[in-house]
Amino acid sequence: MRFVEQGADIPDELIRAVTDGSATFLCGAGVSFRVDLPSFKVLTERVYARLGEAPDDEPAERNAIESKEYDRALRSLEKRSHRPGTPSRVRDAVANELAPPAVAFPDHLALLQLSRDGDGRPRLLTTNFDTLFERAARDAGMLEVPSYAGVSMPRAGGERDHGILHLHGRIADDTLDLEPTDLILTSADFGEAYLRSGWASRYIEDRMRLGTLVLVGYGAEDAAMRLLLETLDADRDRFRDLHDIYAIELGTTASASIWKAKGIKPIEFTSYDAIYDTLSEWARYAMQPVDYRRARIQDILGKAPVAGS
């Protein structure tokens, strides 16, 4: 089904999974580009600037940035800029750079309306640290949407498995009375969450067993998602009962091949506007499918040429 003329076709089986409440959207930094929040690359650059630092004289950091391994660059920067007995200057800078802008968040609201459980409650997973999904929910009058982060997230499939779920942690939001949590920001944090203790890997595996995953706001070679995407790919090879994974993103000449190599089905668009116009229309359909179909039929009939004219 093509929800907008300039958009891509959304597979029928994915539309059914969303309507049935068996799909969970996993959202990355790209969902916030249209409200001017940074990508991981730009965030790293701004952290260096805010701290008055540069990677040029540090070969480890310069090489990491050239390889687009920004988590490794930030790990090195954090180690050399840390002052004993004080909070991390890098993490404070990240929180400051991700402060919510004073704008509306329609893209985030559409994703909340699409990513719902069988009881109609929002259940959205994100690797973003910001609180824009929480603000979108509040602005839309969705007052009973809980926010969880990191190891404090409820068990996938459990009774409390709903709300806004920050896989990599969350910054504070005094307006919403949300406390900060630990962040999965640097290579050391990723190693702990996905390898040493492995709690994030286990969570993703459980999520894949329960229903369809839909990635939005990630690139096919997103450095910040390296371990998560490798986890998805490894699990796909080992377990045949895992549900489909889709990726909704801008297409490039190579991206479809890269997604497919990871066992992920790409749904590619030509622009961000086309992505979020589609998500907005799809959310309208998901919230009231009967009324939406009736309105679409009436619109089509209204545009049809009159016989003999």
Side-chain angles (χ1 to χ4, degrees):
M1 182 171 181
R2 189 183 298 268
F3 286 96
V4 297
E5 184 176 351
Q6 72 276 23
D9 282 321
I10 306 299
D12 289 343
E13 61 271 19
L14 178 54
I15 293 174
R16 285 194 296 270
V18 167
T19 302
D20 294 343
S22 61
T24 299
F25 282 65
L26 171 54
C27 301
V31 304
S32 299
F33 284 178
R34 299 210 305 178
V35 292
D36 294 329
L37 260 64
S39 65
F40 199 17
K41 174 183 183 293
V42 174
L43 177 63
T44 300
E45 293 169 349
R46 291 182 182 178
V47 168
Y48 272 95
R50 184 176 282 270
L51 298 187
E53 299 281 357
D56 301 341
D57 298 326
E58 297 290 334
E61 294 167 29
R62 185 177 65 249
N63 292 342
I65 288 174
E66 288 174 354
S67 301
K68 300 182 180 180
E69 296 175 339
Y70 308 111
D71 56 321
R72 289 184 173 141
L74 291 176
R75 170 60 174 167
S76 178
L77 175 62
E78 185 173 52
K79 289 177 69 176
R80 70 180 177 83
S81 67
H82 181 66
R83 298 167 182 167
T86 65
S88 166
R89 298 175 66 215
V90 166
R91 290 165 201 263
D92 285 349
V94 165
N96 284 320
E97 290 296 336
L98 295 178
V103 297
F105 306 110
D107 299 342
H108 295 74
L109 177 60
L111 286 160
L112 283 170
Q113 292 170 333
L114 286 168
S115 193
R116 303 169 75 88
D117 66 13
D119 294 322
R121 301 174 300 186
R123 183 191 58 219
L124 181 142
L125 186 61
T126 180
T127 54
N128 295 347
F129 305 140
D130 62 69
T131 57
L132 301 195
F133 284 109
E134 286 85 352
R135 291 193 171 224
R138 178 203 61 181
D139 293 348
M142 302 162 63
L143 304 179
E144 301 299 326
V145 181
S147 175
Y148 301 103
V151 294
S152 297
M153 293 189 303
R155 178 174 58 88
E159 292 183 0
R160 298 190 302 119
D161 183 25
H162 63 96
I164 299 164
L165 310 166
H166 291 266
L167 182 65
H168 290 172
R170 184 194 65 219
I171 62 175
D173 190 321
D174 293 338
T175 299
L176 300 180
D177 198 27
L178 294 173
E179 296 290 331
T181 73
D182 293 337
L183 303 181
I184 299 177
L185 173 67
T186 70
S187 55
D189 303 325
F190 279 94
E192 167 64 25
Y194 286 94
L195 299 175
R196 195 178 79 86
S197 69
W199 67 264
S201 299
R202 291 191 298 273
Y203 182 89
I204 290 297
E205 182 181 308
D206 289 344
R207 193 87 269 163
M208 291 169 66
R209 288 179 179 276
L210 290 167
T212 302
L213 270 181
V214 187
L215 279 59
V216 184
Y218 300 105
E221 296 185 285
D222 195 321
M225 290 289 288
R226 183 177 57 251
L227 286 177
L228 190 147
L229 292 177
E230 289 172 0
T231 297
L232 297 178
D233 194 26
D235 285 344
R236 174 67 61 197
D237 288 340
R238 290 185 296 136
F239 303 110
R240 299 300 177 182
D241 62 336
L242 300 179
H243 290 265
D244 287 334
I245 306 168
Y246 294 87
I248 295 176
E249 192 46 72
L250 291 178
T252 68
T253 55
S255 56
S257 176
I258 297 171
W259 283 122
K260 291 175 183 177
K262 299 177 186 295
I264 297 170
K265 298 180 177 181
I267 304 173
E268 299 193 320
F269 290 76
T270 58
S271 71
Y272 280 114
D273 287 345
I275 290 174
Y276 293 102
D277 287 348
T278 292
L279 292 176
S280 177
E281 281 295 299
W282 187 4
R284 287 179 55 205
Y285 169 76
M287 298 296 286
Q288 294 183 315
V290 175
D291 290 346
Y292 184 89
R293 286 185 182 276
R294 184 181 298 118
R296 285 288 293 264
I297 291 171
Q298 290 175 347
D299 184 52
I300 292 169
L301 292 175
K303 293 179 180 178
V306 179
S309 62

